[in-house]
Structure formats: C-alpha cells, structure tokens
C-alpha cells in the first residue's frame, strides 16, 4: 500500500485548479496557490531565514513558512515556470478577469503587467510551435493570447467559445508543441501556432487538459468524465457522479509510463493506467481536491506527486518502489483475480441456466399465469425503430420522432435512451402509465446542436401484468444535420446569406454526403435541395453547378460553417477558399463594433470622473479632519455628510462602470466569435489567413476591410 | 488491543438466505472445522479446507429454496446434526450427508425461521409459531406482526422451554407454552436473535439482538421482566444487522461478539472493563459490498488460527483469518505459494473456457429459436434482495437493491413527488429525465447507470406526508439474455410515521372518529394503506390499538379501531387532516357511507409549534453560522489572527468543520420544517372551514424572521 511521504496542513483555503509548484530562486520548490480574498500564498519551507518584505508580499501571521501575495482581484488562473529564455528562476504568472501579472518572487519585482480585456480563464506556460522564447498563453472569452517575458503579445487567435482549459503538447509528433484548447462549447481544438489542426467534439464543457506522453493527453469534462486521447482517437473514458477538479500525468507505479492522476470533488484522488483506465491507486481527502501537481518538494532528488485539497491539506506521494511490483492497493492480486474469475464463472452458469430454463419452458409449453408474470414473449419478437423529422405543431415544437414498436401483442413497458449531449442528463426515459401501455412508443427528440449522436435504446418488453421484462438493446445513429426537413416548395425566396466555393468532385459524392448527414425520407437523386431548418426556422438551399461550384444559401452563418467543415472532411479537402456574404449578420457586427467604440469612450469618461472624485475625496477628508481638530463640529459634520454623498455617487458610478464593462465584454466576445465564424467558413490555409487578416483589420480599426476579408476570404491585395 | 484479520475467499455457492451457514464442531482440539452452507437453489454443501483447497464432504441435489440452517443433536452431545428448512419442510442430515429426517410441518406458508434444541423443533412462518417435540405438535402461537427470527433459551439452565420471537413491530415476544409471557420493546425491528456467549450466559437468559436499522443490544430475560444490559446505536449509518455470533477471536478467554450487516460490514465487539461493548475490529470490503447473511467464528483455513467465517448474499464464503497472509519466509517458499494459486487460476480459466463454448452454443440455439414463429422466450426470474425502510434519524427512506450478479442499470419511476438524495456509498451515475405528469403520471424518472461489479445499490428517498403513491424500480442486471424486473414500493400517506409502544397521553390531542358500516378487516386495510409498519394480516380480536410517532416532528398518533368504529388521536392537526382526506376518499371508492366527526383541540397547534420550536431554532442558528464561516475565514486570512473577533465568532471558526458536517447531513431540513409549519397553518383553518392559502406568503415572511411568540400570535390571530 502506497502511503504519503509527507502531509501538510496549510490552514489556507485553496482555490480549485489554481495550484502550482515553482522554484522562484532557481533551487527551492515552493507550493503556490490562489486563496481567498484575491491573494496568492507561497509555501516555502526550505529557506526559512530569508524572508521577503515588500508592498506586495506580506508574511502570514499564522504560519512562518507562508508568504501572502496581494493581487487585490479575484484570481482566475495561476501558473509558474521559466518565462525568460535561459533563466533558471521560475516566474509566477497570475491571471484575473481583467489582467495578467508576471511576477518575479525572488527579486520581488513585477516582470510585466498587462490589461486583458478578454479575461484569463486558463493559463499555460511553455514553448509553442516555432516561436523561440517561452510564451505565457492565456485563454479568455473566445480569445487566446500569448506573451513573452517582456510582455510582448506574440500570439493571438480566436476560438469558438470561452476557454476553460489549455495545455501544450506535441500533438503532431514533429518535435514542436501544439496548443490544445478546451472550451465551453464542448470542443477540444488543436492549434499549431494560429492554424487550427483538429477539432474534437465532446459532450460537456472541457474543464481540464493535461499532457501524458507523446501525442497522448488526458481531459476532464464538467459532467464528471475523465479520459485519455491519442491525437483525435479516444483511448478510454470513465464517468463518475463526482466532478474531476484537477488532472495530472505522473508515473506513480514506476513502470516508466505515466498514469492519469485525477483529483475529485468528493475528495477522492485516483491514479489510472493511461492504456485502460484501470485504477491502480486511490486515496481520500476530507474535502474536495483543489489541485494535483508534482515537484521535488523534499529536495532529495526524487519527484513527488503533490495533491492539495481546498481546505489546505497537502499530501506528497513518492513513486512506488520496485518491491511493490506495481501493486499499490491494499489487496492481493491473486485473490482478486480468483474472485473475478469465479464471478465470471458464476455469470456464465447463470446464463446457461437461463437458456436451460427457457428451453424447459418451451418444451413444457405455456402454463399461462405464471408465465405472464415472468414476462414470456414470443421468441420472434423483434423491435422496430424508425426515425423521422416532424415539423412543429401548435402543441409541440418541431422534433425528430423516434418510433419504437413490437410486431405482436407484447407491450413496451418503458424505453430508456442513453445518448450524449442531447438530453439534460445522460438519459431520457419514457414510461407510459398503465392505461396508456401499448406496443408502440413515440419519443420526441430535439438535439440542441448539429452533432451526430448515437442513441443507445433499451426497451422493456413484456405483457401488461409482467413483473419481469425482456430488455431489447438497439443502437441507432442520428445524423449530424437531423433537424432539417426536406422542403418541396421551390418557390419560396432563397435566403440572402450565401457561401460559394469550388470543388473538384463528382456530384454523386455530394449526394452521398447529403444522404449520410441529413435525415431523409428517401435517398436523394440530385445535389440541388432545399431544407427547412426546424430549430431556428428559415430555409437552407444547396445548389451544385456541373462545373463543381457549390452554393449554400442560409442566413445562419454557424450552419454554413458546419456544412462547409462537414463537407470538406467528407471529401477530404485540405484547403478550401470560400466566398461568403451574410448581409444581416454583417450588419449586426457593424453595429456591435460601433457599440464597442461607444463603450470604450464611456469607459474613458467614467475613469476620468472617478479620478476627479478621488481628488475631491482627499480634499474633503482633509477639510473635515481640520474642522475636527479645530473643534468646528458643524463644518465637520457638513463635510462628512458631503463625503457620504460622494461615496454613494461613487458606488453608483461603479455599478454603471461594471455594467458598461460586462456589456463591453459581451460585445468583444461577439466580435471574436464573428472572426471565428468567418474562419469556419474556410478550410485549411485560407482559414488561418482570414483569422489573421481580420485581427489586423480590427487592430487598425478598419471596419470596411474587416467585412471585405470576411466576404472574400483573402486579405485585400 | 489491535486485532488484525486478513481476508481469504474460500468458495462460492448459490444465493444464500439469512443464517444458512454453520461450522460443524471440531473433532479434536485445534483441528480445522468443516463448513456447512445451504443456498437458495436448495443445495447443501459441506466442505473442509485442505492446503488452501476446498475439499467437499458432501453436496445435496438442488431443490426448494432453503431459508434456514441449524445444527442440533441430543443435549449434552456435540451438536453436529444438520437441519434445514425448505418450503414448509424440515430436513435433517448427518454430518456425512445422510438424510435421516424429513418432516412436513403442514404450514400453509413456507418456514421463515427455525430453531433446534435437542428433540425440540421450533419453526415460524410469517405470523405463526409452532413447537414440535419429537415431531409431535406441542404449542402454537399467532403473532401480531411478522416474525423475523426465533431462539429458545437453553433448557439445561432454566429447566423449561422459553422461546423468544423477534417481531417486525419492534418487539421481542417471550412465550410460555402457547401463551405470551411478556413482550419487550427494542429500538428497531429486530432481524436476528442469538444466545449470548452461544449458551445464554451464566444464567442462561441472555439474548443478543440486532435490528434491521443497524442497532445491536443485549438483554437478560428473567421470569417476570427483561433487563436491558446494553445497546449499541448505529451512529456511523451502517447497514442492518443480519447475523450475530459469539466467539473468542482474540484469544483472551472472553468471547467477542461478531456482527454481519447487510452493507457488507463485519464487526467484532469486545467488552471493556465495565462490560460495555467496544468495537475492536471492522472490515468493510471496498470493492464488493454485499449482505453478510451468516457469520461464524471458528477455525477453517488453517489449524490453530482462529477466524471469522462469513457467507454473503451472492454465496461467497469468506474468512477473515488471524493467520498473517504475507509470511516472513524465504524466497523459495514464496514461489511455492504462488504456484498453488497459479494452478488454481489455470484450472479456473480452463473451466471458464469450456463454459464459454457451451454458453456460445446455447446462445446460438436461443438466437435460432427467435426465427421460429411458435417458440416463446421465457427467462427465469432472478432474485432481488431488496429493503425499503424508514430511517429514523433523518426521516427519509432508504432503498437497497441487491442482485446476484452485477447490476447494469436501475430505472426509478414514481407517481408521487419525491426527492432522490445523493448517497456517498453508491458510485452509480444518476441522470434525471424530463417527466410529463400528464398523461403518464410520472413525477420522477431517474436512471442509475452502475459501475462494473456493483451488485448492491443504495438509494435515499425523501417523501412528503399527505402525498402518496407508488415507487417502482426496474432493475436490469448484466446477464444475457437481458431482462429486467420491477419492484414496487408504496409511499403511504403518513409515510414519516413509525410504530412505537410508548405514547404520552398528557399532550393536547385532536380526535377523528369514524363510524359506519365497515368491517374490522376493511378498516384495518385502510390503516395499512395509510401507515407504514402495520401488519397486513387483520389482527385477532375485536379491536386493536396501534401507536405511531412522527420521525421528523416527534408528534404522535394513536389508532384504535374495531368493526363500525375507528378513533384516531394525534397532537398534530396535519396528521388528522391527512387521515381524514385519505380515509374519506377510500370509503367513497368502496361506496361505504362514513360518518366523520372530529374534535379539534386549539391548544394542540401551539403545542406542536412549541415542539417544532427547538428544532427550528437550532436549524436557523446552524444555517446562520454556516453562512458566516467563509466570511470569517477570509477575515482570518486577511488579519492573520482572530483575536479581534468577538468570542461568538471565534467559536464559529473553531467549530467550522463540525458545523459544516452537520449542515451537510441534513439537506433541506429547514425547508421541510417550513413546509410542515405551513401545512399546520392551512390544516388548522381547514377544520374551521376557512381557506387561508392567500396568507401563506405572510407566514413565510414571519418564518424568515422567526420568533416563537410572533409565530404563535400569527397562528392565533389569522
């Protein structure tokens, strides 16, 4: 049994996912974590004599090993590492919703401080692609930004939604790091510098990512899933009812391969094999785990795995010694193996008994009542399933109907559908009341996004008064674009928004793509079709010229992007140049951009007013105190009343300022999303070009150029 | 002293019932003992251990489900005759496996509990107790509630036969002949009885009992009255007790008490200097938590190493032995050890492979049969061990489901609004599905997807009094061909009430009286419908009284009824109101004319409010304190010390973890109290014929700034 080599009680709460170990003087490792009240604490047990005193750092009164760093803002992410090339000392990087601070703890100096309008939800430090110096990459609202040690903004790109997790990992195996980004739209995106290499769609917000080895990485989702990917192929995943707070790769059993260490919200910590997900070690904390990191914390040349709980309990584990043979748990392997084999034997025996009893029952023919209870059904009962698109009626929203029926007099007692990402939980249940029991169940399904979904259907089939039912298990796939109904009416005006591009493939291939990705009553003959979008309303027209030119008409820019991406991957197109026009959407963005300008000017005005007020406060306070010293109580009272009024004004202004700020943020997010959407309409190189060109246009505040790029897909030349 | 026991698995048989495994007496001193175990397939297996291998002595053919196994023999000789109860028959076997007795007890129901002493045989069906001597009928007794277990005090010491029945209504019944001598109230529904020290102690009158809510106690029975010696409460929320044994595992000359529970826990209690029980050892299997159905102390695996042998629900015989598992031995010996196990594993694997082939063939056959239009598919019913009980401590129901093989998923469906609470012990992923109360009447649809190897699932459910219906659980095990079984549980209108045998008559009571043309059986069935823990069988006699206690508020209810008349007395006006609604509905359903009259005692409302007051005040204070913890901690970090805080705040900081734990233990406690006060308010005026629903927001406002006097005033003035 593996036991911790050290345990610390730090008496400071630790914010989840904000734990790091840094060697700020280049030698001694210090556990660094964000705590309450906008503070960061540094636990430095090794250099007790040297103490730091300054404006930012203060000594904790409770514990002499702990120094506290005042950030004066809620910390949102934190990391440590080498920032300046060639330096042996680690820098501390602290991100908040408005800023990024790079701090040299040893010399007690700011390295740089940057205002970050998009906020910093996640941070990672390291080398990215061909950029020579280490970068601190932060992910905020739809934006990614990378800073070098001088605070220069060397890297910028946009992504689909708010970033929640980042990791650097050699995804392609070319010896250079790619950036993996997990975001709130359930996607893991892989960036080679600013080129998007791959997108992996998961079914919940990606909360953490960690690099395992080679191109393998671990991930965790907000619904309690953790797993391991190798490139875009998932090795394994497990789901727990608890949430994974922090994941980390560490070789705990000393077999030369790292394991995925997960810290859970219920205080459990486990280590799983990277190949199978099998638990090889677990331990329990009394409160939720806040972070899992590693470091040579005892300074004896061995790296320990360090787990910290939110209550400030820290445990360090050494990798297992050779004698333990990789067996870290408190049980004997043989015993467990025998038990498992016996259990399997028992299961097989039970199954065998089931068949025997079944044939006995068949031989002895039906003895009516008893059998009805046991749920006897005709052996040739087969479940039929059908998927169809239903337009909305007055009582029901438009949906996809899954119809499950039995061919005989048996009834369906209940239907369980397990599917990811389309129901509130992971399952949907239909359980008709006794009077409504029949052999046919219709389940309305409304997928919220255009993603292909596997529906794992379990239907309980029996007779009306059975207590035992047969369980039929069927898997059906819902195609990606299932919420679109074929529209027969060709006279309707086409939507104004459109994208046009040229492919070098036969129309048959496009027809094939249509048949696979849309839910159609019958196979299509020609690639010219019109659909009604059931979710958002509006039409979608697809036209293909004999020359290979394809035109998609829709007002939904997201849908157009999804279609282009799906078609390009189906036809294996690497680079695709697209011309696009979405008049309504572009108009919205134009408005948003003007709003951004307004918000900016309001912000400046408010800042100026605030400066005035703070001068006035100083002035009034001096006057009031003077009056008090002179004994002129009347004036003093007057001044203090004025001060009170001013204070109230300030609070009001603060509220305005913060409202203004949130509005500004949402506008900026919309702008970032617009760039991302414009990018998604293209594939490969043209995509990267569009994103960079848009960014330049925004930097130069050239709105017309921005729209030109979005339309043409190339920087104006 | 520290007790260190290691787990060893011996053998797996079929699903076992409670108390169906015993150790045969050893032949010489310190020799290993043979194990005899009976399962629900009707097979009795007797085996001994030789060099780590289970060597069978005998094994009978499958038959009817065996519900009990006891050892007997002429008094004064080794008790090595084996008696089993299967259906309504008792069979006897010698230790070699030769059947010498087959006795049909002529009961209409199957035997639930059995005890053997010399030539005396005691058997119990659900409500009936029978005593036979030399297979001749002697005594008979009809119990008021279900009988769970039976023992007979040793005849050698007392000179007469004194059977003791453990009954579901929280009572032990002591009999003399066919008559009840006296009954003893115990803190929970007793599920198992055992003689203390295996012989009833020095005077022969000491009985150990375990309850299905996890309590344990020792009683001394004298001729006239019982003496409670000690009692162990279930503070750690362990499972219910299923089996008890006395055995000296430590080797200090005093027998310890071995306890097996239905959540897989095995405990060893020793006695301290003041003869109070102390927990010496606890074993909780981390991977498997199945009911421990039988427990015995003895020597099985290896000579001169004492051990605790357990049988579990799925039929595993597991020893907790004092033999150290990793011996200090040379490297050579270590290899030999593992070779033995390797052989065992290889044999198992080979067996598995053969089985697999056979199963594949059968599977094919089964698939083929699905082509034919005449064939039917009938899969035998698998057994589910389930328990649905009210927990007194937090006034919620706990539902445990246990299946022989791993559970794949469980679907819960309810036609009444109930809350599902999270249970730390279960690791299954729960998912709530959208439900449509119209037209299908679902208020809860939830699926539990179980992790691999889960054979037992524990759920917690919170009900609301007055709302009643059925909870259904569809259990699907991981077994081909896939089937699922449904289990139904009634949520009764007064679901939070519990049987009690002591009632305080000084409280101000409200009375509800029913008269009409109904039979005794009818009114009894209505009471069964309304209240939990009432026996389904109509009691003997002309009239009957049942007393209940509300587990949440501690208010009480007394039901007295006979043919054509029923009386319900409670100090809680809401209880009376619910009863009135449900009973009149039931009567209308059966077209029976009922005269309902009630006598409302105004004082009772204030009395109930005063009873709620300390609970409410405590909860409010707790909530307030918990709210402050985070802020105070922040201050502490900011200022570096807590000297500047007032003592009250300082004490909150000191107690922070305890407060948080307490707060976590009782989720939504405050909301439930509020709900009950609101019900009380509405019900008070309902009896006056006023509808005060519009005043409820006002009441909630008063509750937000709670003070007993203002609340009482509001109740009086409104």
């Amino acid at each position: 049994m593996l036991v911790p080599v050290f345990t610390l009680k730090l008496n400071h709460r630790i914010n989840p996912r904000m734990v790091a170990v840094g060697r700020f003087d280049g030698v001694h490792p210090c556990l660094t974590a964000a705590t309450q009240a906008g503070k960061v604490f540094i636990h430095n047990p090794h250099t007790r004599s040297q103490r730091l005193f300054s404006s930012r750092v203060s000594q904790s009164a409770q514990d002499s090993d702990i120094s506290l760093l005042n950030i004066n803002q809620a910390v949102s992410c934190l990391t440590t590492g080498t920032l300046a090339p060639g330096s042996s000392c680690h820098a501390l990087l602290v991100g908040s919703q408005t800023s990024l601070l790079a701090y040299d703890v040893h010399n007690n100096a700011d390295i740089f401080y940057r205002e970050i309008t998009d906020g910093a939800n996640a941070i990672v430090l390291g080398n990215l692609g061909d950029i020579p110096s280490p970068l601190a990459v932060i992910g905020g609202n739809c934006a990614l930004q990378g800073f070098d040690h001088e605070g220069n903004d060397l890297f910028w790109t946009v992504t689909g939604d708010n970033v929640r997790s980042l990791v650097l990992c050699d995804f392609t195996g070319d010896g250079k790091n790619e950036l993996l980004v997990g975001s709130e739209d359930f996607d893991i995106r892989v960036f080679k510098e600013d080129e998007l290499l791959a997108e992996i769609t998961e079914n919940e917000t990606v909360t953490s990512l960690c690099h395992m080895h080679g191109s393998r990485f671990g991930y965790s989702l907000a619904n309690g899933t953790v797993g391991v990917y190798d490139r875009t192929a998932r090795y394994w995943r497990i789901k727990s009812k608890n949430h994974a707070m922090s994941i980390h790769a560490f070789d705990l059993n000393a077999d030369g391969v790292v394991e995925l260490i997960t810290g859970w919200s219920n205080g459990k910590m486990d280590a799983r094999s990277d190949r199978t997900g099998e638990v090889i070690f677990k331990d329990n904390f009394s409160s939720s785990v806040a972070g899992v990191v590693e470091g040579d914390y005892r300074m004896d040349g061995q790296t320990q795995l360090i787990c910290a709980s939110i209550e400030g309990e820290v445990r360090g584990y050494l990798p297992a010694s050779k004698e333990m043979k990789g067996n870290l748990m408190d049980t004997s392997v043989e015993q467990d193996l025998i038990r498992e084999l016996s259990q399997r034997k028992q299961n097989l025996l039970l199954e065998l008994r089931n068949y025997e009893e079944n044939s006995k029952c068949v031989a002895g023919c039906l003895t009516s009542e008893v059998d009805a209870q046991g749920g006897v059904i005709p052996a040739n009962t087969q479940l039929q399933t059908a998927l169809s698109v239903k337009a909305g009626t007055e009582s029901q929203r438009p949906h996809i109907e899954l119809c499950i029926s039995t061919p005989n007099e048996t009834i369906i007692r209940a239907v369980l559908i397990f599917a990811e990402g389309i129901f509130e939980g992971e399952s949907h249940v239909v359980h008709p009341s006794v009077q409504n029991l029949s052999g046919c169940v219709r389940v309305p399904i409304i997928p919220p996004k255009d993603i292909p979904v596997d529906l794992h259907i379990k239907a309980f089939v029996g007779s009306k008064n059975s207590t035992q039912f047969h369980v039929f298990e069927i898997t059906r796939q819902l195609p990606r674009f299932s919420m679109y109904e074929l529209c027969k009416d060709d006279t309707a005006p086409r939507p104004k928004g459109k994208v046009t591009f040229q492919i070098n493939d036969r129309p048959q291939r496009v027809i094939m793509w249509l048949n696979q990705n849309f839910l159609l009553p019958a196979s299509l003959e020609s690639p010219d079709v019109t659909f009604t979008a059931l979710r958002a309303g509006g039409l979608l027209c697809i036209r293909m010229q004999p020359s290979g030119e394809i035109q998609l008409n829709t007002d939904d820019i997201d849908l157009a992007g999804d279609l282009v991406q799906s078609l390009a991957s189906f036809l294996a197109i690497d680079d695709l140049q697209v011309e696009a026009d979405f008049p309504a959407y572009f108009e919205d963005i134009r408005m948003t951009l003007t709003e951004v300008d307004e918000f900016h000017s309001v912000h400046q005005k408010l800042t100026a007013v605030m400066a005035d007020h703070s001068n006035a406060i100083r002035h009034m306070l001096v006057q009031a105190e003077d009056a008090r010293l002179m004994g002129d109580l009347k004036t003093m009272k007057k001044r203090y009343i004025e001060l009170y009024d001013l204070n109230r004004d300030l609070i009001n202004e603060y509220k305005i300022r913060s409202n203004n700020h949130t509005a500004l943020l949402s506008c900026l997010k919309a702008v970032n999303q617009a760039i991302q959407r414009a990018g998604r309409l293209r594939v490969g190189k043209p995509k990267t070009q569009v994103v960079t060109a848009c960014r330049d246009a925004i930097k130069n505040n050239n709105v017309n150029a921005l729209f030109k790029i979005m339309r043409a897909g190339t920087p104006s030349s | 002293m520290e007790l260190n026991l290691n787990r060893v698995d011996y053998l797996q048989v079929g699903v076992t019932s409670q108390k169906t495994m015993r150790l045969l007496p050893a032949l010489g001193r310190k020799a290993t003992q043979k194990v005899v175990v009976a399962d629900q397939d009707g097979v009795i297996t007797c085996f001994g251990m030789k060099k780590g291998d289970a060597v069978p002595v005998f094994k009978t053919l499958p038959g009817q489900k065996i519900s009990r196994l006891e050892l007997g023999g002429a008094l004064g000789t080794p008790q090595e005759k084996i008696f089993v109860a299967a259906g309504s028959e008792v069979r006897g076997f010698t230790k070699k496996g030769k059947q010498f007795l087959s006795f049909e007890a002529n009961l209409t129901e199957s035997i639930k509990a059995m005890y053997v002493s010399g030539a005396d045989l005691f058997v119990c069906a659900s409500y009936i107790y029978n005593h036979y001597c030399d297979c001749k009928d002697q005594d008979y007794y009809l119990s008021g509630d279900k009988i769970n277990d039976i023992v007979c005090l040793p005849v050698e010491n007392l000179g007469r036969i004194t059977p003791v029945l453990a009954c579901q209504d929280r009572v032990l019944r002591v009999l003399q002949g066919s008559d009840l001598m006296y009954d003893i109230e115990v803190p929970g529904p007793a599920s198992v009885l055992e003689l203390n020290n295996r012989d009833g102690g020095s005077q022969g009158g000491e009985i150990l009992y375990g309850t299905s809510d996890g309590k344990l106690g020792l009683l001394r029975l004298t001729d006239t009255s019982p003496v409670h010696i000690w009692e162990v409460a279930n503070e750690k929320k362990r499972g219910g007790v299923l089996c008890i044994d006395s055995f000296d595992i430590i080797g200090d000359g005093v027998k310890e008490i071995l306890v097996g529970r239905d959540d897989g826990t095995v405990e060893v209690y020793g006695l301290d200097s003041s003869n109070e029980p102390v927990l010496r050892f606890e074993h909780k299997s981390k991977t498997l938590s199945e009911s421990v159905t039988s427990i015995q102390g003895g020597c099985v695996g290896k000579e001169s190493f004492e051990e605790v042998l357990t049988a579990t629900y799925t039929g595993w015989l597991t020893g907790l032995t004092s033999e150290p598992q990793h011996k200090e031995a040379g490297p050579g010996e270590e290899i030999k050890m593992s070779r033995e196990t390797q052989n065992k594993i290889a044999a198992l694997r080979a067996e598995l492979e053969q089985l697999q082939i056979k199963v594949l063939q059968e599977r094919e056959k089964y698939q083929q049969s699905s082509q034919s239009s005449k064939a039917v598919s009938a899969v035998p019913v698998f057994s589910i061990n389930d328990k649905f009980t009210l927990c007194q401590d937090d006034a919620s129901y706990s539902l445990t489901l246990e299946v022989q093989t791993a559970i794949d998923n469980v679907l819960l469906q309810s036609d009444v609004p109930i809350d599902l609470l999270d249970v730390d012990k279960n690791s299954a992923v729960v998912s709530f599905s959208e439900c449509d109360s119209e037209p299908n009447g679902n208020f809860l649809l939830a699926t539990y997807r179980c992790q691999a190897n889960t054979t037992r699932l524990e759920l917690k459910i919170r009900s609301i009094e007055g709302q009643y219906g059925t909870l259904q659980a569809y259990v699907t095990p991981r077994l081909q061909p896939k089937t699922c079984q449904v289990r139904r549980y009634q949520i009764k209108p007064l679901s939070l009430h519990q049987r009690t045998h002591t009632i305080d008559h000084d409280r101000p009571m409200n009375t509800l009286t029913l008269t009409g043309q109904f039979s005794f059986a009818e009114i009894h069935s209505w009471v069964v419908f309304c209240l939990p823990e009432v026996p389904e069988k109509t009691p003997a006699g002309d009239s009957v009284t049942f007393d209940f206690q509300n587990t949440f508020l501690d208010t009480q209810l007394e039901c007295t009824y006979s043919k054509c008349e029923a009386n319900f007395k409670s100090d809680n006006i809401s209880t009376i109101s619910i009863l009135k609604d449900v009973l009149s509905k039931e009567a209308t359903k059966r077209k029976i004319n009922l005269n309902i009259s009630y006598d409302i005692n105004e004082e009772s409302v204030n009395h109930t409010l005063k009873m709620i007051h300390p609970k409410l005040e405590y909860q409010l204070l707790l909530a307030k304190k918990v709210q402050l913890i985070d802020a105070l901690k922040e201050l502490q970090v900011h200022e570096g010390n807590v000297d500047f805080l007032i003592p009250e705040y300082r004490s909150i900081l000191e107690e922070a973890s305890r407060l948080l734990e307490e707060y976590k233990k009782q989720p939504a406690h405050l909301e439930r109290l509020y709900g009950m006060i609101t019900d009380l308010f509405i019900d008070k005026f309902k009896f006056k014929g006023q509808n005060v629903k519009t005043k409820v927001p006002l009441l909630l406002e008063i509750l937000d700034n709670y003070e007993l006097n203002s609340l009482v005033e509001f109740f009086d003035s409104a």
Side-chain angles (χ1 to χ4, degrees), chain B residues 510-528:
Chain B
N510 306 295
T511 316
L512 176 75
T513 313
L514 303 181
T515 48
Q517 289 302 312
F518 49 78
S519 68
F520 188 43
E522 260 167 335
I523 179 75
H524 180 74
S525 74
W526 296 342
V527 172
V528 171

Side-chain angles (χ1 to χ4, degrees), chain A residues 97-99 115-120 141 145 600 661 664-665 668:
Chain A
Q97 277 314 314
T98 54
S99 65
E115 291 270 342
I116 309 287
T117 48
D118 290 320
N141 302 331
Q145 242 175 318
H600 270 303
H661 186 72
L664 178 66
L665 273 189
L668 286 176

Side-chain angles (χ1 to χ4, degrees), chain A residues 510-660:
Chain A
V510 177
I511 294 173
M512 210 147 95
W513 170 76
L514 281 169
N515 284 332
Q516 277 183 21
N517 285 281
F518 285 84
L519 199 59
L520 300 163
S523 289
L524 287 176
E525 299 294 320
S526 107
D528 296 348
V529 281
T530 308
F531 293 98
T532 318
L534 295 181
R535 211 177 291 117
L539 291 178
L540 162 70
C541 306
I542 301 171
R543 293 280 174 277
M544 187 176 181
Q545 307 294 331
S547 62
E549 190 191 86
I550 294 183
Q551 192 177 54
L552 306 173
N553 286 73
T554 171
D555 282 327
D556 187 347
I557 189 169
D558 280 323
L559 172 62
D562 284 344
L563 287 166
V564 169
Q565 296 298 325
S566 165
L567 185 60
S569 71
F570 182 81
L571 301 173
I573 300 171
D574 290 332
D575 295 312
L576 186 67
Q577 174 59 281
V578 177
E579 278 180 35
D581 192 15
F582 292 91
Y585 181 71
F586 288 167
E587 201 44 50
D588 282 351
I589 293 299
R590 200 184 287 275
M591 299 270 287
T592 312
L593 284 169
T594 29
E595 271 175 49
V596 168
D597 284 341
E598 275 167 28
F599 286 133
H600 270 303
S601 62
V602 170
H603 176 76
Q604 269 161 6
K605 224 183 279 164
L606 286 174
T607 315
V609 171
M610 189 178 68
D612 283 353
H613 278 321
S614 52
N615 275 334
I617 287 170
R618 238 171 264 147
H619 198 68
M620 260 182 231
L621 196 65
V622 171
Q623 279 187 343
E625 282 302 288
D626 277 354
R628 188 176 65 86
L629 290 175
M630 311 257 294
D632 182 359
L633 288 182
K634 213 172 149 195
T635 324
M636 183 192 89
K637 206 172 164 189
K638 209 170 131 198
R639 292 283 170 258
Y640 270 115
I641 289 169
E642 281 171 9
L643 204 57
Y644 176 75
D645 290 342
L646 194 60
N647 185 46
R648 208 175 42 209
D649 290 351
L650 267 176
I651 290 172
N652 284 337
E653 265 167 42
Y654 168 76
K655 278 181 192 148
I656 297 169
R657 250 160 57 92
S658 73
N659 284 342
N660 185 58

Side-chain angles (χ1 to χ4, degrees), chain A residues 102 169 211 257 339 387 439 488 499:
Chain A
C169 152
H211 178 221
V257 186
R339 200 163 178 130
L387 283 167
K488 296 278 183 300
V499 291

Side-chain angles (χ1 to χ4, degrees), chain A residues 241 347 358 377 427 431 467 469, chain B residues 377-378 405 423 447 474 484 486:
Chain A
K241 66 170 186 175
N347 269 1
N358 182 41
I377 59 166
S427 69
H431 185 277
T467 52
F469 301 91
Chain B
S377 165
T405 54
V423 181
T447 54
Y474 293 83
C484 87
V486 59

Side-chain angles (χ1 to χ4, degrees), chain B residues 315-581:
Chain B
W316 270 104
L317 289 162
T318 305
L320 291 167
T321 169
S322 51
E323 178 191 1
Q325 258 179 341
H326 299 288
K327 276 182 289 186
E328 304 278 332
E333 209 168 336
E334 189 78 15
I335 289 165
K336 203 178 117 203
M337 272 282 285
S338 68
R339 187 171 293 159
E340 248 169 43
T341 34
Q342 265 170 10
N343 285 342
K344 213 166 160 183
I345 290 169
L348 255 175
R349 277 191 201 281
E351 202 178 345
L352 264 179
E353 247 162 60
Q354 280 187 339
L355 264 175
Q356 211 121 34
I357 294 167
K358 214 168 154 193
V359 164
L360 274 178
Q361 283 171 351
E362 288 292 325
R363 212 178 274 175
E364 200 117 299
K365 245 197 247 166
Y366 179 76
Q367 294 293 343
Q368 267 168 5
S369 79
S370 72
Q371 306 295 326
S372 111
S373 56
K374 272 189 218 140
V376 292
S377 165
V379 173
V381 176
F382 59 90
S383 69
I384 298 181
N385 184 15
D386 57 347
K387 196 170 109 178
F388 186 65
T389 45
L390 178 64
C391 301
Q392 204 175 337
D393 312 331
D394 50 1
S396 67
Y397 277 89
S398 107
L399 171 63
T400 52
L401 298 163
E402 190 171 9
V403 184
Q404 194 177 4
T405 54
I407 302 175
D408 185 59
N409 65 67
V410 173
L411 162 65
L412 279 192
Q413 181 268 342
S414 163
D415 57 3
V416 272
I418 50 171
D419 289 328
L420 267 186
L421 307 181
D422 189 41
V423 181
D424 281 344
K425 268 187 249 173
N426 91 46
S427 59
V429 179
V430 59
S431 157
F432 293 92
S433 171
E434 226 177 272
C435 33
D436 42 338
S437 50
E438 287 300 319
N440 290 329
N442 296 319
F443 279 96
L444 171 83
L445 285 172
T447 54
Y448 279 85
R449 194 165 52 81
C450 298
Q451 311 282 359
N453 293 331
T454 310
T455 56
R456 188 173 182 277
L457 192 67
E458 197 173 325
L459 313 167
K460 241 180 176 359
I461 290 144
R462 213 163 45 202
S463 60
I464 305 160
E465 285 212 322
Q467 293 183 306
Y468 54 99
T470 318
L471 171 72
Q472 300 193 89
Y474 293 83
V475 184
T476 315
R478 280 179 202 206
L479 189 65
Q480 291 297 332
K482 270 222 170 146
T483 52
C484 87
Q485 211 179 101
V486 59
R487 288 285 158 132
R488 297 196 174 89
Y489 308 95
Q490 297 301 325
I491 310 274
K492 306 210 167 177
L494 293 172
S495 50
L496 299 182
H497 279 72
Q498 173 185 293
R499 278 284 288 281
T500 174
H501 295 273
T502 45
I503 199 156
D504 173 10
H505 288 284
D506 297 337
R507 294 185 187 177
M509 294 290 215
N510 306 295
T511 316
L512 176 75
T513 313
L514 303 181
T515 48
Q517 289 302 312
F518 49 78
S519 68
F520 188 43
E522 260 167 335
I523 179 75
H524 180 74
S525 74
W526 296 342
V527 172
V528 171
F529 183 78
C530 292
L531 284 150
E533 301 191 6
V534 184
E536 269 167 45
K537 199 176 63 68
T538 312
D542 295 333
S543 86
V544 74
T545 302
F546 288 116
D547 297 334
F548 297 91
Q549 190 177 25
N550 185 321
T551 49
F552 197 69
L553 294 179
D554 294 328
T555 57
Q556 53 195 28
L557 170 68
E558 188 185 354
C559 310
T560 312
Y561 52 91
S562 58
K563 192 177 173 235
C564 300
E565 188 173 348
N567 255 306
F568 300 93
K569 277 190 198 168
S570 172
D571 51 345
N572 188 342
I573 204 164
S574 296
T575 310
I576 292 291
S577 164
I578 292 168
L579 272 174
K580 181 188 148 233
D581 290 351

